[in-house]
Every structure is written in structure tokens, then in C-alpha cells.
């Protein structure tokens, strides 16, 4: 029976598919760490209290990248280059979602509208990350190799999502509500399209590595398209809703250490 657990177990059991999975994940997390570090450095004086939380966010992302690298090292594997069509973070940036990298490389402080753009982009992508890690946590929390890593990253992603919602609500109360909703909608609709494309690219490569028959590959592709159709029709709305989270000030303290040994 084809299920999320059996599918990921198959990827986990093969060294080459596991290398690709961890390499793609580590690259995206490390890129997120760099972006957050640059944003923290460019936060305007009026929002300096936010800088420490953005720094913590970036530290968590860097930690996640090290965790995936540690999982590879534990199996005696090295990372592989990330294929461009599977590079979720760079594809988002290339499509104008979030703050452009050339802007982050400058020394000019960010404006409040740019901070709002960053938070809206993060709120959407952290929704995806939290859901994906919750799925892995549900199925692999007790796994001897993955369990500790999955628990750590899932907890962090929940914190990131809570932090983004709390900060966006603060800006909404300060008069940025219309801009926030507009940006959230734009980000969500772009994200679901890019997530579909990246999912198709990753599954196609996994299929070639694992020797899946064409019928299975076609079934998985159909499932990815079905998820996109649902998200395009209504599912994107979960990414733009703002509710005060139960976890308040989720990034107000230091980052927890990484389980470097995975």
C-alpha cells in the first residue's frame, strides 16, 4: 500500500535517495539561515527588539542544516549538489517572493514595509515546513536514526510559525493590515505553485534512483497535482490566516543546541 510512511521509508533505506533528500533539506535550511542573519543585521532602529528574534530564527535554520549534514555523516555519506529544479528556497527568491538577495547584500537598513514582507513570506513558508515536519514526527519520532532530529526540527518549525503570526498581528494592529493580507495572499499562491513544481522534480529524481515503475511515478505525480488543485482552490487560505498563537514570544530566548550526532 502506498502511504507517506512507506514512501519515505523507501527513500530512507536507499543511500542515494537519502543523500538527495538530506542534501536538498540542508541546502534550504542553510540558505534560510543566511537570509535571516542578513535581515537581522538590517533591521531598522525602530524595530531593534525584533532583531534578536530574527537572529534566533536564523540560528535555528543553520542548526537544521547541520542536523541534516550530521545524518549524512552518520551513514558515511557526503552531500550531493542540489539540482536547480529542486531548490525550493532559490526558486521562491527567483519568483520575487520575500526579500531579494541583492537587497540583503546591501548595507541599507530595511524599511518597515520590507520587514512586513519578510514576515509574510516566512509565515507562508513556515506553515509548509511545520506541516511537513509534523508528518515526519508522526511517523518517525521513534526512529533510531531520525527520531531525535525530527523532534528537534518539528519543535523549532512550530516556534517559527508562532513567532511569524504574533509579529504580523503586531504590525496589523499598528496599521499594516491591508499590506499584510495582500502580501500573504501573493506569497501563498506563489508558494503552492513552486511547492508543486519542486515536489514533482524531487519525486521524478527519487523515482529514477529507486527504479519506480512508470505507473507508480504517474500515480505520485497525479497526487501532487491533486494537492495543488485543492490548495489553489481553497487550501492556500490556511497560510494567510492570522491567529494569536498559544506559544507567545516563541523566539524570545536562545536557540536550543543541535543534536550534532543526529
Amino acid at each position: 500500500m502506498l502511504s507517506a510512511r512507506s514512501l519515505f521509508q523507501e527513500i530512507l533505506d536507499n543511500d542515494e535517495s537519502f543523500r538527495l533528500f538530506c542534501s536538498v533539506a540542508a541546502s534550504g535550511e542553510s540558505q534560510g539561515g543566511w537570509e535571516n542573519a542578513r535581515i537581522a543585521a538590517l533591521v531598522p532602529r525602530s524595530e531593534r527588539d525584533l532583531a534578536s528574534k530574527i537572529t534566533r530564527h536564523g540560528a535555528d535554520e543553520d542548526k537544521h542544516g547541520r542536523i541534516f549534514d550530521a545524518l549524512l555523516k552518520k551513514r558515511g555519506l557526503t552531500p550531493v549538489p542540489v539540482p536547480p529544479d529542486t531548490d525550493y528556497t532559490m526558486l521562491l527568491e527567483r519568483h520575487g517572493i520575500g526579500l531579494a538577495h541583492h537587497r540583503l547584500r546591501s548595507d541599507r537598513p530595511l524599511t518597515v514595509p520590507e520587514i512586513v514582507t519578510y514576515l509574510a513570506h516566512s509565515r507562508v513558508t513556515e506553515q509548509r515546513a511545520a506541516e511537513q515536519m509534523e508528518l515526519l514526527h508522526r511517523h518517525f519520532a521513534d526512529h533510531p536514526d531520525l527520531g531525535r532530529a525530527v523532534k528537534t526540527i518539528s519543535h523549532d518549525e512550530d516556534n517559527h510559525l508562532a513567532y511569524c503570526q504574533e509579529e504580523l498581528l503586531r504590525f496589523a494592529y499598528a496599521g499594516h493590515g491591508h499590506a499584510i493580507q495582500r502580501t500573504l495572499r501573493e506569497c501563498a499562491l506563489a508558494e503552492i505553485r513552486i511547492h508543486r513544481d519542486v515536489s514533482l522534480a524531487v519525486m521524478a529524481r527519487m523515482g529514477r534512483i529507486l527504479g519506480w515503475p512508470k505507473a507508480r511515478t504517474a500515480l505520485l505525480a497525479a497526487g501532487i497535482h491533486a494537492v495543488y488543485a485543492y490548495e489553489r482552490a481553497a487550501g492556500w487560505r490556511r497560510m494567510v490566516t492570522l491567529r494569536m498563537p498559544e506559544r507567545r514570544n516563541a523566539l524570545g530566548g536562545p536557540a536550543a543546541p543541535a543534536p550534532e550526532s543526529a
Side-chain angles (χ1 to χ4, degrees):
M1 179 179 179
L2 190 60
S3 67
R5 180 182 177 87
S6 64
L7 181 65
F8 191 79
Q9 188 67 58
E10 190 173 352
I11 292 170
L12 175 64
D13 289 343
N14 180 279
D15 280 351
E16 287 307 307
S17 57
F18 187 67
R19 282 179 83 195
L20 177 60
F21 169 78
C22 287
S23 297
V24 169
S27 175
E29 297 287 357
S30 297
Q31 187 63 46
W34 176 84
E35 290 175 357
N36 278 279
R38 288 302 303 152
I39 291 167
L42 298 175
V43 167
R45 288 185 179 180
S46 62
E47 294 296 333
R48 291 311 299 174
D49 289 345
L50 185 59
S52 63
K53 297 179 183 180
I54 300 174
T55 298
R56 163 74 184 276
H57 190 176
D60 284 347
E61 302 288 1
D62 282 335
K63 176 180 69 178
H64 300 168
R66 296 195 303 274
I67 289 173
F68 284 112
D69 285 338
L71 287 170
L72 285 173
K73 185 177 181 181
K74 187 173 183 178
R75 285 199 18 189
L77 303 173
T78 56
V80 296
V82 176
D85 58 352
T86 68
D87 197 331
Y88 171 81
T89 304
M90 291 305 297
L91 286 170
L92 286 171
E93 195 266 343
R94 194 173 300 157
H95 284 79
I97 305 304
L99 299 178
H101 286 184
H102 69 80
R103 176 67 180 93
L104 298 183
R105 292 188 182 98
S106 75
D107 293 325
R108 179 165 47 89
L110 297 170
T111 64
V112 169
E114 286 175 321
I115 293 294
V116 166
T117 295
Y118 150 73
L119 287 169
H121 163 246
S122 295
R123 188 264 176 271
V124 169
T125 55
E126 293 300 339
Q127 178 79 38
R128 180 74 68 187
E131 290 171 353
Q132 291 180 328
M133 291 310 303
E134 193 279 331
L135 178 66
L136 290 178
H137 184 273
R138 190 189 318 148
H139 294 303
F140 295 97
D142 296 327
H143 191 279
D145 294 325
L146 282 185
R148 189 180 175 197
V150 164
K151 290 176 184 177
T152 297
I153 299 174
S154 182
H155 178 267
D156 288 347
E157 300 298 3
D158 288 343
N159 278 344
H160 299 167
L161 183 57
Y163 141 79
C164 290
Q165 294 211 61
E166 185 174 4
E167 293 300 326
L168 282 170
L169 284 170
R170 179 172 67 85
F171 279 107
Y173 296 146
H176 299 275
H178 290 303
I180 289 170
Q181 284 302 316
R182 181 181 68 253
T183 307
L184 281 172
R185 187 179 189 278
E186 291 172 355
C187 287
L189 292 176
E191 192 280 340
I192 63 173
R193 184 178 67 252
I194 291 168
H195 180 260
R196 175 202 61 191
D197 294 345
V198 168
S199 297
L200 289 170
V202 169
M203 283 299 104
R205 290 175 185 277
M206 292 298 182
R208 289 194 290 273
I209 291 171
L210 297 169
W212 289 341
K214 290 183 178 180
R216 187 180 192 190
T217 302
L219 179 62
L220 288 169
I224 291 169
H225 283 293
V227 169
Y228 171 72
Y230 161 72
E231 292 193 328
R232 185 65 181 83
W236 63 272
R237 297 182 186 279
R238 77 191 189 285
M239 295 178 161
V240 305
T241 301
L242 296 179
R243 297 188 182 91
M244 188 59 70
E246 293 183 8
R247 298 186 186 189
R248 302 292 294 274
N249 195 31
L251 298 189
E260 302 287 356
S261 63

